Amino acid sequence: MAQPFGLAGVMGWPVSHSRSPLMHNLWLKQHGIAGVYVPLPVQPERLGEALRGLPALGFAGCNLTIPHKVAAMAYMDEIDPLARRMGAMNLVVVGPEGRLTGFNTDGFGFWQSLVDAQPQFRAEAGPVVVLGAGGAARAVVLSLLERGAPSVRLLNRTEEKAQQLASELSGAGAHGVIDVLPWTQRESALEGCALLVNTTSLGMQDQPGLALRLDDLPRTALVCDVIYVPLETPLLKQARERGHVTVNGLGMLMNQARPAFQAWFGVMPEITPELKQAMLATL
Ligand code: ATR
């Protein structure tokens, strides 16, 4: 029998801005796998139909992006425990008999991007400050606690959302402590922390920067922003100038895609210089 043609894609609404097709198609080429990865513009009200159609269309699976990461869970036959704990998924794998399983690789992508930037970094190194309580914060907080961060200081403009996130993740069996602090304490909260992560949209292109004095941040702390447009947010610039190791959101984006490719096509792809260059050219 001829080698099957590999098919995968990303469902989103809108989805035209997604860099995922670029990454996966390059990996398909690099690994000599016949196949294609396509953008799948799917309206929220048709998500169920679209997901259920994947096996019939011969898809190995798909990624999910805004606004489908939570809603898609209702249409899975099975959900990986980690995705269940995160309360969101970004990966669908079509299994035997067309069964759909949901996974979340965003936490892996985030963690791997930290380790790529600073291989000796350990979650146990100290408390972490996470700014923001949206979808990205979920993956960030849980992946840090799972890897042994002693505590997460969670601060969000709307404090109730941080409280909500903390209680959901604590209920989901996260080990370390999540301390919700008022947004007004975001500068004093930096004292003694090993890592600062911005998951808010502040600093994104066409958005105001995050105004944050870093005076209380230990010089050894790693500073990370999940934003990748621009690559260097005002926060990262300020941190770099202060001597911190900084991590932008591009590594998280590329690393969350690797286990997805592996789940569909059986090979764990690498972030090669060619891939990095192709991605940078789109920014
Ligand atoms: P994502 O899923 O990418 O995390 P999101 O769910 O829209 O995006 O969350 C955006 C985050 O940026 C939220 O934490 C939001 O704070 P609120 O919960 O108070 O809305 C934060 N954010 C957006 N604009 C902000 C601003 N001007 N000041 C402080 N935080 C802001």
Side-chain angles (χ1 to χ4, degrees), residues 66 131-138 155-159 161-162 183 186 198-202 204 207-208 210 226:
I66 289 169
L131 303 177
R138 231 164 238 281
L155 302 93
N156 191 50
R157 176 180 58 181
T158 312
E159 196 174 327
K161 271 178 67 184
W183 184 241
R186 60 194 180 281
N198 174 47
T199 74
T200 75
S201 46
L202 294 171
M204 239 177 229
Q207 294 261 353
L210 177 69
V226 302

Side-chain angles (χ1 to χ4, degrees), residues 62-149:
C62 71
N63 283 126
L64 298 161
T65 187
I66 289 169
H68 301 320
K69 288 188 178 191
V70 175
M73 298 180 86
Y75 304 103
M76 296 296 110
D77 296 302
E78 220 172 303
I79 296 174
D80 174 71
L82 180 64
R84 166 102 46 218
R85 288 206 292 283
M86 280 190 187
M89 52 177 280
N90 70 330
L91 168 62
V92 180
V93 177
V94 177
E97 282 142 44
R99 286 176 64 79
L100 303 180
T101 307
F103 296 88
N104 192 311
T105 67
D106 285 331
F108 168 87
F110 166 71
W111 177 255
Q112 194 58 48
S113 75
L114 288 189
V115 174
D116 286 351
Q118 181 143 305
Q120 71 275 26
F121 183 77
R122 296 285 171 271
E124 299 91 352
V128 174
V129 171
V130 176
L131 303 177
R138 231 164 238 281
V140 164
V141 171
L142 196 55
S143 70
L144 289 166
L145 290 177
E146 292 226 314
R147 286 171 177 86

Side-chain angles (χ1 to χ4, degrees), residues 148-169:
S151 68
V152 172
R153 301 172 187 162
L154 185 62
L155 302 93
N156 191 50
R157 176 180 58 181
T158 312
E159 196 174 327
E160 301 81 68
K161 271 178 67 184
Q163 296 283 8
Q164 170 80 22
L165 181 63
S167 74
E168 273 176 44
L169 294 184

